[in-house]
Amino acid sequence: MSAAGQVLAVVPSQPGVRRLSSITATREDLARGPSVVVPPKDIMACSDAHETAAAMEIAKHHLDGDTPEDSMPSTPAETTVTDKFAYAFDIDGVLIRGGKPIPEAVEAMKMLNGENEWGIKVPYIFVTNGGGKTEQERCLQLSNQLEIEVSPGQFICGHTPMREMAERYHTVLVVGGEGEKCRLVAEGYGFKDVVTPGDIIKDNQDTTPFRKLTEEEHKNSRARNFNDAEIEAIFVFADSRDWAGDQQIILDLLMSKNGRLGTRSKTFDEGPPIFFSHNDVVWSTSHELTRIGMGALRASLEAMFKAVTGKALETTAYGKPQIGTFQFATRLLQQWRKETHGIDSPPETVYFVGDTPQSDIRGTNEYNESPLSANSWYSILVRTGVYQDGSEPEYAPMATVNNVLDAVEHGLQREATKALKPHPRTPT
């Protein structure tokens, strides 16, 4: 039991998986080992969502190497969840808008967890370009918003694949998000020496002429002498809260000699590489119009670097529509299927539900057509977020529906129709 005393039970079907209250659990509690987050209404017993949440959590830990695979049972336990197909959901504009659930989202989750005419449960994960929070924080937030049992293992954020770079880079600059959250995310991924823009301004307040640290920012920023520091890489984990100040610091490093602040390269090609957790130019919020996002910051930096140096800036983006994010999701679903059904291959079809043609639909379609894809990915566009009727999507989905509930019904009906078709080798 954790110090806070909020562990509810050890689940018989998944030994070692803790059930934590969505009201009292913290990010630190979830980071201590395999866990599922439970809303108050499900405290006394496992909900219909438990089986998928717990199994996906164990699979994610095995995939990350946090738990040895020899801890898996040799024979998968009986399961009521299909292995033939799965769902992957964007969050903002699909399930949530402006911090509140989209009305049909709760019913869509119930349908996936068995409340459908076929009585089957369908596995699902969440793939979001939203950054600045750990997968554990995203899990707690969504559990409270949708009042559903979920696990951190079901979440893939735009910066999730960046954890694989912690062994490559020692001293890194992490940009974006609220307060110290992105530093904590990076340190949680295993980065050893994480610098923030606040640290740099604290060391030399003249770095950003029009930006002064607040008392709280000054207190949280870490004091150090950057004269001897070499910043090896720049990671934009979340949307910048101070475009002017952050861009000044990023440009200083990009034009530096080997990531040393206060230096200037004569060739402008000696600076550290820069990575963005996603490339969404706009995103859906509670405002009636879309708002600009990290992709706009990336475009701005590339334009400014070109204007100052005369050279093109090479940048790298993760998240959707980058194929690496879909590969990571496929590996997770394959690990889940291997552990729950004894089949070492991903589900045959993954239905991806998104609201942004430029990232969700483009990424799904391109991965589906890529030789790197080991299964079929089917794109579904909803009208509750970035995309609205009256415009022609730049990247055409395989289906367009009104909301996430319609998307789930569409996939279930499509799978039922496929199941009724005779096999090509079966005599009719």
Side-chain angles (χ1 to χ4, degrees):
M1 179 175 290
S2 72
Q6 68 273 15
V7 176
L8 303 176
V10 173
V11 183
S13 61
Q14 291 286 356
V17 177
R18 302 170 305 153
R19 299 180 71 233
L20 308 181
S21 167
S22 64
I23 302 299
T24 58
T26 65
R27 175 180 60 85
E28 290 77 15
D29 293 323
L30 269 68
R32 293 192 179 106
S35 311
V36 294
V37 175
V38 185
K41 64 183 178 64
D42 296 321
I43 283 179
M44 300 308 295
C46 293
S47 70
D48 290 335
H50 172 77
E51 187 173 357
T52 290
M56 210 67 75
E57 174 76 345
I58 291 293
K60 183 74 171 296
H61 275 263
H62 288 157
L63 193 64
D64 290 343
D66 297 333
T67 308
E69 285 199 41
D70 56 16
S71 63
M72 294 165 46
S74 56
T75 303
E78 289 188 11
T79 178
T80 59
V81 183
T82 182
D83 69 304
K84 301 299 183 185
F85 62 104
Y87 271 82
F89 296 97
D90 183 26
I91 296 178
D92 292 318
V94 174
L95 301 171
I96 304 295
R97 183 163 184 169
K100 297 180 180 179
I102 288 172
E104 295 81 8
V106 173
E107 292 305 313
M109 293 297 104
K110 290 180 181 179
M111 183 169 288
L112 288 174
N113 288 309
E115 292 187 22
N116 55 69
E117 61 182 284
W118 300 277
I120 63 169
K121 293 182 180 181
V122 184
Y124 51 91
I125 58 175
F126 308 100
V127 185
T128 175
N129 276 350
K133 296 178 181 178
T134 63
E135 291 80 1
Q136 289 83 3
E137 287 176 296
R138 286 275 174 187
C139 176
L140 286 167
Q141 185 177 38
L142 194 66
S143 178
N144 282 312
Q145 289 168 325
L146 296 182
E147 296 187 351
I148 189 174
E149 191 168 349
V150 291
S151 69
Q154 291 174 279
F155 288 77
I156 299 174
C157 299
H159 47 57
T160 299
M162 288 181 176
R163 68 194 309 154
E164 298 174 350
M165 306 184 77
E167 295 299 319
R168 187 184 308 178
Y169 300 109
H170 180 78
T171 302
V172 300
L173 173 70
V174 170
V175 177
E178 301 171 359
E180 294 287 287
K181 286 186 177 181
C182 284
R183 192 201 306 265
L184 296 175
V185 173
E187 290 177 341
Y189 285 171
F191 286 97
K192 302 298 190 296
D193 185 16
V194 181
V195 174
T196 68
D199 299 344
I200 295 171
I201 299 172
K202 185 173 184 175
D203 179 60
N204 183 356
Q205 63 180 1
D206 294 328
T207 300
T208 53
F210 305 113
R211 162 83 190 281
K212 304 301 178 186
L213 297 179
T214 65
E215 184 176 340
E216 182 179 1
E217 289 172 334
H218 194 275
K219 177 183 177 181
N220 291 333
S221 297
R222 298 175 184 175
R224 69 183 293 169
N225 186 342
F226 283 96
N227 289 333
D228 298 323
E230 290 190 3
I231 294 176
E232 300 167 22
I234 304 166
F235 292 92
V236 184
F237 267 38
D239 287 296
S240 169
R241 269 50 172 183
D242 174 32
W243 275 44
D246 289 346
Q247 287 187 110
Q248 178 67 71
I249 290 170
I250 292 171
L251 283 170
D252 281 346
L253 286 169
L254 293 173
M255 296 187 293
S256 70
K257 292 182 179 180
N258 303 315
R260 295 173 70 94
L261 287 164
T263 66
R264 274 289 184 269
S265 168
K266 293 181 180 179
T267 57
F268 300 117
D269 60 2
E270 301 175 88
I274 181 168
F275 304 91
F276 294 82
S277 66
H278 67 83
N279 195 39
D280 283 351
V281 176
V282 296
W283 64 298
S284 176
T285 70
S286 55
H287 197 278
E288 61 270 19
L289 301 175
T290 57
R291 305 287 86 186
I292 57 174
M294 190 182 297
L297 177 68
R298 182 188 185 190
S300 177
L301 277 167
E302 291 173 343
M304 284 194 293
F305 187 86
K306 177 75 171 178
V308 174
T309 69
K311 292 189 172 184
L313 174 65
E314 291 187 10
T315 62
T316 301
Y318 287 84
K320 301 165 292 184
Q322 310 305 317
I323 281 180
T325 295
F326 293 87
Q327 288 178 301
F328 192 91
T330 299
R331 291 199 300 272
L332 172 60
L333 291 169
Q334 179 168 335
Q335 183 74 24
W336 167 84
R337 194 184 193 201
K338 174 183 176 182
E339 296 181 12
T340 58
H341 292 81
I343 302 172
D344 194 11
S345 61
E348 295 164 16
T349 303
V350 179
Y351 292 93
F352 193 101
V353 185
D355 71 310
T356 309
Q358 292 83 356
S359 59
D360 298 324
I361 304 307
R362 176 186 177 184
T364 305
N365 291 351
E366 290 182 354
Y367 184 59
N368 182 59
E369 296 166 3
S370 166
L372 299 174
S373 178
N375 57 348
S376 173
W377 282 68
Y378 186 98
S379 58
I380 304 178
L381 180 64
V382 294
R383 298 183 175 97
T384 50
V386 170
Y387 172 73
Q388 298 291 324
D389 271 340
S391 61
E392 187 70 25
E394 185 177 353
Y395 298 90
M398 297 178 186
T400 301
V401 297
N402 288 327
N403 54 60
V404 66
L405 180 58
D406 291 345
V408 170
E409 290 176 336
H410 176 83
L412 287 173
Q413 187 60 59
R414 184 171 180 268
E415 290 298 317
T417 301
K418 285 165 58 177
L420 292 174
K421 291 181 179 179
H423 191 278
R425 296 181 181 176
T426 303
T428 56

